[in-house]
Amino acid sequence: MAKSKKKMSPALDFNTQWRYKPAPENSDHIQIQKAYDLFINNEFIPPVNADYFPTINPATGKKIADIAQAENIDIDKAVVAASKALKAWQKIGAVERGKYLFRIARLIQERAREFAVIESLDGGKPIRESKNIDIPLAAAHFFYHAGWADKLQYAFPNQTPKPVGVAAQIIPWNFPLLMAAWKIAPALATGNTVVLKPAETTPLTALKLAELIRESGLPSGVVNIVTGDGSAGAALVDHPMVNKIAFTGSTEVGKIIQRKLAGSAKKYTLELGGKGANIILEDAAIDQAVEGIINGIYFNQGHVCCAGSRLFVQESVAELVVRKLKDRMETLVVGDPLDKNTDIGAINSASQLRTIKKYIKKGIKDGAELYQSKCAIPGGKGYWCRPSLFTNVSQAHTIVQEEIFGPVLTLQTFRTLEEVLNKANNTFYGLSAGVWTDKGAKIFTMTRGLRAGVVWANTYNKFDPASPFGGYKESGIGREGGLHGLAGYLKF
Ligand code: NAD
């Protein structure tokens, strides 16, 4: 048979033919100072040693501002301020405390755009996420806890809960404002005072929150915000006047803190790392599941403790899922965090990019097969990583066992529910998991069998202030959010 001479049209290339024009968020209205001091007693005061470090825009590699490095003596000032404020804060009464929380929530809403832009500038996350997820959820945490402030006797009937005292709160860089809200709101609602330390690479929205807290008229010393590296966090943990430590960060640092606190009377909650299993059963709605996989691992550059970084797909649909997943990966836009078209922004820091690259190298060395989308990435001095997928991996691979905290997914297949439960639970972590299936009964079998603090069914990465969040095993101790989170700030 004669071959058709008809010319084939060239393959469609998303990056050249389908890309939208850049749509950067306006940042003209943003006011960022050249340098930020420590927020103690509702005042910004310089650190005693006059020591500052730069906070960098990860999309450009350029400095945004200088940030105070707190020394032990500064930390002491902040803790003493929080301790002195306790009495007045408790005397003010629960109804009034609730009103302050409502006011802070409303002020966050009013300045949502400013917070969103600063979050994306300082942390590298796409503006779509800062605007639609981080900032609204931060306000929601204040609203939710405002409601509880004068209803604790209903939350804990037949008990007389009392505040624990001064809460030292140490947070990571992946959800800076949200983590601050997640920690400050329940502490204040339950009558405690706070010293919060943001991560060294993303202090700006916490410092903006300090400005807003002062504007809200909150009595001085109730919330203090100190900046600095791990040594400032360690000084907070060690301070004898601190009554509760609320830490979110790596398992490595969580272990150091837990060892320090052994035998002490300090209360603590530790929200640590994760290696979430996202499990696709053969009867799942495959297109939705593929969106769930993308959202589970590529959301916020994979800088998510509960990311679905281990994908398990039932053998009969594996080929189809991999094909659709790779097609979808090709459509993801890596680029300017302030551009509304961007799906994957900048990796948070040079050191985090090095860590991700180290794991990608290790995966290849161990024999796994790497697929990375072919999208263009911006030039310049920013930190970027294409969405990456490893196939041909087994449980023994380092990239399957260790938290990478970047847009890197591993894929394994399975035949039975029993097999996938064994594989999913075969990890030191136990923070999150996802299950995709058409059958309610299978959801219950899986959720009962999975050793993870949060299990999503037919969705992924959904958060709500009313829902307790926390991990099993090396993913942490205690819960934040909901009534369980409130209980962590109370003595019974
Ligand atoms: P990290 O542990 O390096 O730092 C977290 C915070 O602890 C920072 O503010 C840091 O300055 C401070 N710190 C460092 N050393 C300290 C010490 N010895 N004593 C007291 N404080 C110290 O973590 P990171 O790299 O900023 O964040 C990423 C990690 O956070 C990931 O492992 C991620 O899974 C985890 N995380 C967990 C949750 C959760 O809810 N479980 C949420 C977000 C992030």
Side-chain angles (χ1 to χ4, degrees):
M1 209 169 106
K3 272 189 190 162
S4 157
K5 293 216 168 123
K6 208 172 149 196
K7 253 191 167 177
M8 294 291 286
S9 59
L12 279 175
D13 177 354
F14 177 82
N15 277 296
T16 54
Q17 284 156 306
W18 289 1
R19 253 194 112 139
Y20 292 111
K21 287 221 163 91
E25 179 79 26
N26 186 352
S27 55
D28 294 348
H29 59 299
I30 303 303
Q31 287 178 1
I32 300 175
Q33 294 169 31
K34 281 204 164 127
Y36 282 91
D37 289 323
L38 307 166
F39 184 68
I40 300 175
N41 265 330
N42 277 7
E43 300 285 344
F44 283 93
I45 58 165
V48 245
N49 285 350
D51 191 7
Y52 292 81
F53 62 93
T55 185
I56 304 289
N57 177 343
T60 61
K62 289 193 180 136
K63 180 171 93 174
I64 309 176
D66 282 315
I67 307 294
Q69 168 68 45
E71 300 297 330
N72 288 8
I73 189 160
D74 302 303
I75 296 293
D76 182 60
K77 273 189 198 164
V79 176
V80 168
S83 180
K84 281 194 178 149
L86 264 176
K87 223 175 174 179
W89 182 234
Q90 285 163 15
K91 217 171 141 197
I92 220 166
V95 174
E96 289 306 308
R97 281 203 296 275
K99 285 186 196 164
Y100 280 112
L101 288 169
F102 274 121
R103 198 173 302 157
I104 294 170
R106 290 305 312 265
L107 285 168
I108 293 175
Q109 285 186 323
E110 273 171 26
R111 288 167 60 176
R113 255 190 66 190
E114 186 185 355
F115 273 109
V117 171
I118 296 175
E119 203 69 303
S120 288
L121 278 175
D122 204 21
K125 64 172 62 192
I127 187 74
R128 249 182 12 222
E129 282 171 20
S130 332
K131 229 181 180 175
N132 299 340
I133 297 165
D134 293 60
I135 313 305
L137 262 178
H141 272 269
F142 279 101
F143 276 126
Y144 172 78
H145 288 97
W148 274 127
D150 61 348
K151 300 175 195 69
L152 295 179
Q153 74 271 32
Y154 302 105
F156 306 102
N158 304 321
Q159 298 179 77
T160 41
K162 294 206 170 59
V164 288
V166 175
Q169 309 185 318
I170 302 166
I171 56 174
W173 45 259
N174 58 342
F175 290 95
L177 184 73
L178 181 56
M179 288 292 125
W182 197 329
K183 298 250 182 296
I184 295 173
L188 298 193
T190 44
N192 300 281
T193 57
V194 164
V195 182
L196 175 103
K197 193 199 85 65
E200 45 275 52
T201 58
T202 53
L204 286 181
T205 45
L207 292 161
K208 280 273 155 192
L209 181 66
E211 289 174 5
L212 181 152
I213 281 172
R214 187 161 64 172
E215 200 180 314
S216 78
L218 193 76
S220 73
V222 172
V223 171
N224 305 277
I225 298 182
V226 291
T227 44
D229 59 12
S231 66
L236 257 178
V237 173
D238 294 340
H239 200 289
M241 285 160 84
V242 162
N243 306 101
K244 145 111 189 180
I245 317 286
F247 173 80
T248 299
S250 60
T251 295
E252 190 190 345
V253 175
K255 283 182 182 175
I256 295 173
I257 293 177
Q258 196 178 25
R259 275 196 289 270
K260 273 188 181 175
L261 296 178
S264 93
K266 289 176 187 167
K267 256 187 119 147
Y268 61 91
T269 44
L270 304 173
E271 300 281 347
L272 310 176
K275 195 74 186 172
N278 205 356
I279 302 167
I280 318 296
L281 304 187
E282 60 193 355
D283 54 19
I286 298 298
D287 287 332
Q288 279 98 315
V290 168
E291 279 310 303
I293 299 166
I294 295 281
N295 178 35
I297 182 66
Y298 302 129
F299 165 59
N300 196 18
Q301 299 71 254
H303 298 336
V304 183
C305 51
C306 47
S309 50
R310 291 179 300 150
L311 176 62
F312 293 96
V313 185
Q314 201 152 14
E315 216 172 74
S316 52
V317 291
E319 235 182 271
L320 178 66
V321 170
V322 171
R323 179 164 57 78
K324 287 189 178 241
L325 179 59
K326 287 182 177 174
D327 284 351
R328 182 67 177 95
M329 284 168 71
E330 290 300 334
T331 69
L332 294 175
V333 177
V334 178
D336 178 6
L338 286 186
D339 191 326
K340 290 160 203 147
N341 298 317
T342 294
D343 298 298
I344 299 182
I347 298 302
N348 182 264
S349 63
S351 105
Q352 186 57 26
L353 183 59
R354 272 196 300 278
T355 303
I356 296 168
K357 283 186 174 165
K358 183 193 81 185
Y359 277 112
I360 290 179
K361 250 193 195 160
K362 174 77 176 138
I364 295 168
K365 190 165 164 246
D366 288 348
E369 213 170 289
L370 174 66
Y371 179 85
Q372 283 187 315
S373 77
K374 294 178 278 299
C375 66
I377 52 175
K381 291 196 172 152
Y383 318 130
W384 313 101
C385 182
R386 291 192 171 88
S388 309
L389 166 70
F390 272 113
T391 51
N392 198 25
V393 296
S394 72
Q395 288 293 104
H397 277 92
T398 306
I399 52 170
V400 171
Q401 288 298 326
E402 295 183 12
E403 185 185 44
I404 300 173
F405 223 54
V408 183
L409 178 66
T410 62
L411 184 145
Q412 292 172 266
T413 59
F414 64 92
R415 289 188 181 164
T416 65
L417 299 195
E418 196 186 5
E419 179 191 351
V420 75
L421 279 174
N422 279 332
K423 284 181 168 168
N425 289 335
N426 180 7
T427 162
F428 292 117
Y429 296 111
L431 190 59
S432 61
V435 182
W436 296 81
T437 170
D438 189 35
K439 305 277 179 294
K442 286 190 190 171
I443 291 177
F444 288 119
T445 306
M446 297 298 287
T447 48
R448 268 198 303 271
L450 284 163
R451 296 284 293 159
V454 184
V455 183
W456 288 287
N458 294 327
T459 186
Y460 208 94
N461 272 340
K462 289 281 179 288
F463 309 96
D464 190 291
S467 174
F469 187 92
Y472 285 87
K473 300 191 271 182
E474 296 201 3
S475 287
I477 288 180
R479 296 289 178 266
E480 292 192 328
L483 292 185
H484 298 70
L486 279 176
Y489 285 96
L490 291 164
K491 286 188 289 199
F492 293 92

